[in-house]
Amino acid sequence: MTRILYLSGSIFGGAERQLLYLVTNLDKSRYEPMVVCPEDGVFPEQLRAAGIDTAIHPLPAWRKWKYLLHRYAVASRLGQFTTERQVGLIHVADSWHNPYSARIARQCGIPTVSHVKAPIRPDQVVKYGFHDMSSIISISEQFTPPFLAAGISPDKINVIVNCVDLCAFQTTRADQNAHRSEFPLRRFVIGMVGRIEPFKRQKEFVEVASHVLNMRQDVSFLIIGGTQPNVKHIAYERELRQLISELNLADFITVTGHREDMPAIMQGLDLLVTLSAGSVIPEAMAAGKPVLATPVGSATDMIDDGITGWVVPPLPIEGIAAKIVQMIQNPSLCEQMGRAARVHAENHFSIARHVEQVQSIYDRLILEPLT
């Protein structure tokens, strides 16, 4: 059996949910997972509740000058911890921790994997030490060109899309109607899911909603997600709410805050819109909902355009709004796409398929001698 050390963040978001799927479904006769988080919090609690060995070690930002000396001491302690626990492979769930992984891997003579879940530039490939990784997992084909441009061998790059708990997000009639009384919803419900922050582009979603409402009034919009205690993110939520007020859309747009009942919430939607991609795409499709996305991140890898949803240009915004109105006007098309989305999710986004693909990388790295 090989013990695998995972380096992760502590906040429970989409990336952490993907890691939780992985570590709880590994073949335990072959692999023993252990997760290191920089601080205690929601995600470590989730891991412990699932019976996963979890440790707390500070992981200060490697490239910040104020941590210049401290980071080496942290890496040394973590390397000692890795040796003591007889770790055979390191998997970095947050690629900004690559420098720690690379230093520990050299110290202990073990392979290391970095999981890339967001777009990256060629200069960042060098900056964050991807050349030192034994293998790279990318959630999208769209992320691979910068690695190739930076000289990373294509043999090191593996594209494995995100997965979803197909049982948790399966369609039920009760869930479809559960939140119709909780929120003041109209006939057609459109949702955007994700932490409220600039990267998720909720303000642009509000602008899209404004254009839709100029053409249709029988629609409601849900912005689903909480805000982290971050000055920038708190300011962004304030701007978001102000924009909704300025456009007089408070009767049509509801900001729900953080929700623990995402499968049920997803069932209450007719259409998911995402302007940043992510794990919400397979979740919506598993729930039998079509997805409208812009061609960023893993959207083009996950959506069968025109069959399970739409991939539309981000500009002009009026183009996104027009496509949404098309869906509102064609409920039978929306339902047909939703059914196709569920089938697509079953065929491509199962946890078992995802875990098998990741384990095949582990198998190869463990058997191959380090060079």
Side-chain angles (χ1 to χ4, degrees), residues 85-116:
R85 299 300 295 267
Q86 298 181 322
V87 170
L89 183 147
I90 301 176
H91 186 151
V92 185
D94 182 344
S95 55
W96 310 129
H97 294 150
N98 283 357
Y100 285 105
S101 176
R103 194 170 184 85
I104 296 164
R106 285 194 298 269
Q107 178 180 335
C108 302
I110 58 177
T112 183
V113 177
S114 182
H115 214 135
V116 181

mmCIF file of all heavy atoms in Angstrom, residues 85-116:
data_model
loop_
_atom_site.group_PDB
_atom_site.id
_atom_site.type_symbol
_atom_site.label_atom_id
_atom_site.label_comp_id
_atom_site.label_asym_id
_atom_site.label_seq_id
_atom_site.Cartn_x
_atom_site.Cartn_y
_atom_site.Cartn_z
ATOM 1 N N ARG A 85 5.983 9.691 8.117
ATOM 2 C CA ARG A 85 4.736 9.009 7.770
ATOM 3 C C ARG A 85 4.900 8.065 6.577
ATOM 4 O O ARG A 85 3.933 7.467 6.125
ATOM 5 C CB ARG A 85 3.650 10.048 7.465
ATOM 6 C CG ARG A 85 3.315 10.967 8.650
ATOM 7 C CD ARG A 85 2.813 10.204 9.865
ATOM 8 N NE ARG A 85 1.554 9.549 9.607
ATOM 9 C CZ ARG A 85 0.354 10.102 9.868
ATOM 10 N NH1 ARG A 85 0.286 11.323 10.383
ATOM 11 N NH2 ARG A 85 -0.755 9.446 9.608
ATOM 12 N N GLN A 86 6.126 7.941 6.093
ATOM 13 C CA GLN A 86 6.445 7.017 5.004
ATOM 14 C C GLN A 86 5.557 7.249 3.771
ATOM 15 O O GLN A 86 4.978 6.328 3.194
ATOM 16 C CB GLN A 86 6.325 5.563 5.483
ATOM 17 C CG GLN A 86 7.309 5.224 6.605
ATOM 18 C CD GLN A 86 7.194 3.783 7.064
ATOM 19 O OE1 GLN A 86 6.109 3.220 7.146
ATOM 20 N NE2 GLN A 86 8.333 3.182 7.371
ATOM 21 N N VAL A 87 5.478 8.508 3.393
ATOM 22 C CA VAL A 87 4.683 8.894 2.222
ATOM 23 C C VAL A 87 5.396 8.454 0.949
ATOM 24 O O VAL A 87 6.622 8.601 0.826
ATOM 25 C CB VAL A 87 4.451 10.424 2.218
ATOM 26 C CG1 VAL A 87 3.839 10.888 0.898
ATOM 27 C CG2 VAL A 87 3.567 10.832 3.396
ATOM 28 N N GLY A 88 4.633 7.928 -0.022
ATOM 29 C CA GLY A 88 5.227 7.464 -1.267
ATOM 30 C C GLY A 88 4.969 8.373 -2.454
ATOM 31 O O GLY A 88 5.602 8.215 -3.508
ATOM 32 N N LEU A 89 4.055 9.344 -2.304
ATOM 33 C CA LEU A 89 3.725 10.244 -3.407
ATOM 34 C C LEU A 89 3.019 11.466 -2.844
ATOM 35 O O LEU A 89 2.238 11.360 -1.891
ATOM 36 C CB LEU A 89 2.833 9.528 -4.431
ATOM 37 C CG LEU A 89 2.428 10.278 -5.701
ATOM 38 C CD1 LEU A 89 2.313 9.296 -6.879
ATOM 39 C CD2 LEU A 89 1.097 11.007 -5.539
ATOM 40 N N ILE A 90 3.276 12.640 -3.438
ATOM 41 C CA ILE A 90 2.603 13.878 -3.041
ATOM 42 C C ILE A 90 1.700 14.341 -4.175
ATOM 43 O O ILE A 90 2.113 14.379 -5.334
ATOM 44 C CB ILE A 90 3.606 15.001 -2.708
ATOM 45 C CG1 ILE A 90 4.536 14.570 -1.577
ATOM 46 C CG2 ILE A 90 2.874 16.288 -2.317
ATOM 47 C CD1 ILE A 90 5.613 15.589 -1.266
ATOM 48 N N HIS A 91 0.473 14.691 -3.819
ATOM 49 C CA HIS A 91 -0.486 15.223 -4.794
ATOM 50 C C HIS A 91 -0.906 16.612 -4.315
ATOM 51 O O HIS A 91 -1.491 16.750 -3.246
ATOM 52 C CB HIS A 91 -1.698 14.295 -4.899
ATOM 53 C CG HIS A 91 -2.677 14.673 -5.960
ATOM 54 N ND1 HIS A 91 -3.466 13.746 -6.607
ATOM 55 C CD2 HIS A 91 -3.017 15.876 -6.501
ATOM 56 C CE1 HIS A 91 -4.239 14.352 -7.489
ATOM 57 N NE2 HIS A 91 -3.992 15.648 -7.429
ATOM 58 N N VAL A 92 -0.566 17.625 -5.112
ATOM 59 C CA VAL A 92 -0.877 19.007 -4.742
ATOM 60 C C VAL A 92 -2.242 19.366 -5.300
ATOM 61 O O VAL A 92 -2.424 19.496 -6.517
ATOM 62 C CB VAL A 92 0.185 19.987 -5.288
ATOM 63 C CG1 VAL A 92 -0.082 21.389 -4.782
ATOM 64 C CG2 VAL A 92 1.574 19.534 -4.892
ATOM 65 N N ALA A 93 -3.220 19.531 -4.415
ATOM 66 C CA ALA A 93 -4.569 19.881 -4.850
ATOM 67 C C ALA A 93 -4.696 21.361 -5.167
ATOM 68 O O ALA A 93 -5.590 21.777 -5.899
ATOM 69 C CB ALA A 93 -5.578 19.489 -3.765
ATOM 70 N N ASP A 94 -3.815 22.164 -4.600
ATOM 71 C CA ASP A 94 -3.755 23.604 -4.887
ATOM 72 C C ASP A 94 -2.365 23.874 -5.447
ATOM 73 O O ASP A 94 -1.377 23.864 -4.721
ATOM 74 C CB ASP A 94 -3.984 24.400 -3.596
ATOM 75 C CG ASP A 94 -3.976 25.893 -3.825
ATOM 76 O OD1 ASP A 94 -3.501 26.335 -4.886
ATOM 77 O OD2 ASP A 94 -4.430 26.630 -2.935
ATOM 78 N N SER A 95 -2.268 24.120 -6.753
ATOM 79 C CA SER A 95 -0.963 24.165 -7.402
ATOM 80 C C SER A 95 -0.069 25.301 -6.929
ATOM 81 O O SER A 95 1.124 25.322 -7.232
ATOM 82 C CB SER A 95 -1.122 24.236 -8.930
ATOM 83 O OG SER A 95 -1.940 25.318 -9.313
ATOM 84 N N TRP A 96 -0.621 26.265 -6.173
ATOM 85 C CA TRP A 96 0.231 27.319 -5.618
ATOM 86 C C TRP A 96 1.151 26.754 -4.540
ATOM 87 O O TRP A 96 2.101 27.411 -4.116
ATOM 88 C CB TRP A 96 -0.618 28.455 -5.045
ATOM 89 C CG TRP A 96 -1.674 28.928 -6.007
ATOM 90 C CD1 TRP A 96 -3.007 29.077 -5.757
ATOM 91 C CD2 TRP A 96 -1.495 29.287 -7.386
ATOM 92 N NE1 TRP A 96 -3.663 29.498 -6.880
ATOM 93 C CE2 TRP A 96 -2.769 29.628 -7.898
ATOM 94 C CE3 TRP A 96 -0.396 29.318 -8.251
ATOM 95 C CZ2 TRP A 96 -2.951 30.014 -9.227
ATOM 96 C CZ3 TRP A 96 -0.589 29.701 -9.571
ATOM 97 C CH2 TRP A 96 -1.851 30.048 -10.036
ATOM 98 N N HIS A 97 0.888 25.516 -4.115
ATOM 99 C CA HIS A 97 1.767 24.849 -3.147
ATOM 100 C C HIS A 97 2.838 24.006 -3.834
ATOM 101 O O HIS A 97 3.553 23.256 -3.176
ATOM 102 C CB HIS A 97 0.941 23.966 -2.208
ATOM 103 C CG HIS A 97 0.016 24.737 -1.310
ATOM 104 N ND1 HIS A 97 -1.182 24.223 -0.854
ATOM 105 C CD2 HIS A 97 0.119 25.988 -0.801
ATOM 106 C CE1 HIS A 97 -1.777 25.128 -0.091
ATOM 107 N NE2 HIS A 97 -1.010 26.194 -0.048
ATOM 108 N N ASN A 98 2.960 24.118 -5.141
ATOM 109 C CA ASN A 98 3.971 23.352 -5.877
ATOM 110 C C ASN A 98 5.379 23.472 -5.303
ATOM 111 O O ASN A 98 6.101 22.472 -5.196
ATOM 112 C CB ASN A 98 4.005 23.785 -7.346
ATOM 113 C CG ASN A 98 2.856 23.205 -8.154
ATOM 114 O OD1 ASN A 98 2.055 22.426 -7.644
ATOM 115 N ND2 ASN A 98 2.761 23.600 -9.405
ATOM 116 N N PRO A 99 5.846 24.699 -4.954
ATOM 117 C CA PRO A 99 7.223 24.806 -4.444
ATOM 118 C C PRO A 99 7.460 23.961 -3.194
ATOM 119 O O PRO A 99 8.541 23.381 -3.037
ATOM 120 C CB PRO A 99 7.365 26.303 -4.145
ATOM 121 C CG PRO A 99 6.414 26.959 -5.089
ATOM 122 C CD PRO A 99 5.233 26.037 -5.145
ATOM 123 N N TYR A 100 6.468 23.889 -2.302
ATOM 124 C CA TYR A 100 6.610 23.025 -1.124
ATOM 125 C C TYR A 100 6.704 21.569 -1.568
ATOM 126 O O TYR A 100 7.561 20.808 -1.099
ATOM 127 C CB TYR A 100 5.408 23.196 -0.186
ATOM 128 C CG TYR A 100 5.433 24.474 0.606
ATOM 129 C CD1 TYR A 100 4.605 25.536 0.276
ATOM 130 C CD2 TYR A 100 6.289 24.627 1.692
ATOM 131 C CE1 TYR A 100 4.627 26.710 0.998
ATOM 132 C CE2 TYR A 100 6.321 25.802 2.427
ATOM 133 C CZ TYR A 100 5.482 26.845 2.072
ATOM 134 O OH TYR A 100 5.508 28.015 2.790
ATOM 135 N N SER A 101 5.825 21.184 -2.476
ATOM 136 C CA SER A 101 5.806 19.804 -2.949
ATOM 137 C C SER A 101 7.131 19.420 -3.595
ATOM 138 O O SER A 101 7.682 18.347 -3.324
ATOM 139 C CB SER A 101 4.653 19.632 -3.948
ATOM 140 O OG SER A 101 4.666 18.341 -4.498
ATOM 141 N N ALA A 102 7.651 20.303 -4.456
ATOM 142 C CA ALA A 102 8.903 20.006 -5.162
ATOM 143 C C ALA A 102 10.063 19.847 -4.181
ATOM 144 O O ALA A 102 10.896 18.939 -4.319
ATOM 145 C CB ALA A 102 9.207 21.112 -6.166
ATOM 146 N N ARG A 103 10.122 20.735 -3.193
ATOM 147 C CA ARG A 103 11.224 20.674 -2.221
ATOM 148 C C ARG A 103 11.142 19.401 -1.375
ATOM 149 O O ARG A 103 12.156 18.742 -1.128
ATOM 150 C CB ARG A 103 11.180 21.921 -1.328
ATOM 151 C CG ARG A 103 12.447 22.129 -0.525
ATOM 152 C CD ARG A 103 12.437 23.497 0.145
ATOM 153 N NE ARG A 103 13.686 23.737 0.844
ATOM 154 C CZ ARG A 103 14.784 24.225 0.285
ATOM 155 N NH1 ARG A 103 14.781 24.513 -1.014
ATOM 156 N NH2 ARG A 103 15.880 24.404 0.981
ATOM 157 N N ILE A 104 9.936 19.053 -0.968
ATOM 158 C CA ILE A 104 9.755 17.848 -0.165
ATOM 159 C C ILE A 104 10.050 16.595 -0.994
ATOM 160 O O ILE A 104 10.688 15.651 -0.521
ATOM 161 C CB ILE A 104 8.314 17.799 0.393
ATOM 162 C CG1 ILE A 104 8.090 18.964 1.355
ATOM 163 C CG2 ILE A 104 8.055 16.469 1.092
ATOM 164 C CD1 ILE A 104 6.624 19.212 1.652
ATOM 165 N N ALA A 105 9.584 16.621 -2.257
ATOM 166 C CA ALA A 105 9.802 15.464 -3.132
ATOM 167 C C ALA A 105 11.288 15.198 -3.341
ATOM 168 O O ALA A 105 11.736 14.045 -3.336
ATOM 169 C CB ALA A 105 9.098 15.691 -4.470
ATOM 170 N N ARG A 106 12.065 16.283 -3.527
ATOM 171 C CA ARG A 106 13.519 16.116 -3.687
ATOM 172 C C ARG A 106 14.146 15.593 -2.405
ATOM 173 O O ARG A 106 15.035 14.740 -2.429
ATOM 174 C CB ARG A 106 14.154 17.453 -4.090
ATOM 175 C CG ARG A 106 13.904 17.850 -5.538
ATOM 176 C CD ARG A 106 14.818 18.986 -5.964
ATOM 177 N NE ARG A 106 14.584 20.194 -5.180
ATOM 178 C CZ ARG A 106 13.728 21.150 -5.529
ATOM 179 N NH1 ARG A 106 13.006 21.023 -6.634
ATOM 180 N NH2 ARG A 106 13.592 22.230 -4.786
ATOM 181 N N GLN A 107 13.693 16.113 -1.286
ATOM 182 C CA GLN A 107 14.236 15.708 0.016
ATOM 183 C C GLN A 107 13.947 14.236 0.295
ATOM 184 O O GLN A 107 14.794 13.521 0.848
ATOM 185 C CB GLN A 107 13.623 16.590 1.114
ATOM 186 C CG GLN A 107 14.071 16.247 2.521
ATOM 187 C CD GLN A 107 13.419 17.176 3.553
ATOM 188 O OE1 GLN A 107 13.029 18.306 3.241
ATOM 189 N NE2 GLN A 107 13.295 16.714 4.774
ATOM 190 N N CYS A 108 12.760 13.772 -0.104
ATOM 191 C CA CYS A 108 12.336 12.420 0.235
ATOM 192 C C CYS A 108 12.474 11.431 -0.923
ATOM 193 O O CYS A 108 12.278 10.215 -0.726
ATOM 194 C CB CYS A 108 10.876 12.436 0.704
ATOM 195 S SG CYS A 108 10.569 13.508 2.126
ATOM 196 N N GLY A 109 12.776 11.935 -2.128
ATOM 197 C CA GLY A 109 12.946 11.056 -3.277
ATOM 198 C C GLY A 109 11.666 10.390 -3.737
ATOM 199 O O GLY A 109 11.666 9.186 -4.059
ATOM 200 N N ILE A 110 10.570 11.149 -3.749
ATOM 201 C CA ILE A 110 9.276 10.595 -4.159
ATOM 202 C C ILE A 110 8.672 11.457 -5.269
ATOM 203 O O ILE A 110 9.016 12.632 -5.411
ATOM 204 C CB ILE A 110 8.297 10.511 -2.967
ATOM 205 C CG1 ILE A 110 8.091 11.895 -2.331
ATOM 206 C CG2 ILE A 110 8.792 9.507 -1.927
ATOM 207 C CD1 ILE A 110 7.091 11.908 -1.184
ATOM 208 N N PRO A 111 7.768 10.903 -6.079
ATOM 209 C CA PRO A 111 7.143 11.677 -7.152
ATOM 210 C C PRO A 111 6.072 12.630 -6.623
ATOM 211 O O PRO A 111 5.567 12.452 -5.500
ATOM 212 C CB PRO A 111 6.513 10.600 -8.047
ATOM 213 C CG PRO A 111 6.264 9.448 -7.131
ATOM 214 C CD PRO A 111 7.363 9.487 -6.090
ATOM 215 N N THR A 112 5.737 13.620 -7.448
ATOM 216 C CA THR A 112 4.735 14.595 -7.038
ATOM 217 C C THR A 112 3.831 14.949 -8.215
ATOM 218 O O THR A 112 4.275 15.027 -9.362
ATOM 219 C CB THR A 112 5.387 15.860 -6.465
ATOM 220 O OG1 THR A 112 4.375 16.756 -6.016
ATOM 221 C CG2 THR A 112 6.260 16.564 -7.477
ATOM 222 N N VAL A 113 2.542 15.124 -7.922
ATOM 223 C CA VAL A 113 1.519 15.444 -8.913
ATOM 224 C C VAL A 113 0.912 16.797 -8.562
ATOM 225 O O VAL A 113 0.635 17.075 -7.388
ATOM 226 C CB VAL A 113 0.399 14.375 -8.920
ATOM 227 C CG1 VAL A 113 -0.703 14.751 -9.912
ATOM 228 C CG2 VAL A 113 0.965 13.006 -9.231
ATOM 229 N N SER A 114 0.697 17.637 -9.573
ATOM 230 C CA SER A 114 0.032 18.924 -9.344
ATOM 231 C C SER A 114 -1.270 18.955 -10.131
ATOM 232 O O SER A 114 -1.309 18.655 -11.319
ATOM 233 C CB SER A 114 0.927 20.086 -9.780
ATOM 234 O OG SER A 114 0.288 21.321 -9.501
ATOM 235 N N HIS A 115 -2.348 19.321 -9.451
ATOM 236 C CA HIS A 115 -3.689 19.346 -10.034
ATOM 237 C C HIS A 115 -4.033 20.789 -10.403
ATOM 238 O O HIS A 115 -4.149 21.649 -9.535
ATOM 239 C CB HIS A 115 -4.692 18.805 -9.018
ATOM 240 C CG HIS A 115 -5.814 18.048 -9.633
ATOM 241 N ND1 HIS A 115 -6.251 16.853 -9.152
ATOM 242 C CD2 HIS A 115 -6.607 18.323 -10.697
ATOM 243 C CE1 HIS A 115 -7.254 16.402 -9.889
ATOM 244 N NE2 HIS A 115 -7.501 17.295 -10.839
ATOM 245 N N VAL A 116 -4.210 21.057 -11.684
ATOM 246 C CA VAL A 116 -4.454 22.421 -12.171
ATOM 247 C C VAL A 116 -5.941 22.607 -12.425
ATOM 248 O O VAL A 116 -6.527 21.925 -13.280
ATOM 249 C CB VAL A 116 -3.653 22.690 -13.457
ATOM 250 C CG1 VAL A 116 -3.880 24.110 -13.940
ATOM 251 C CG2 VAL A 116 -2.178 22.431 -13.212
#
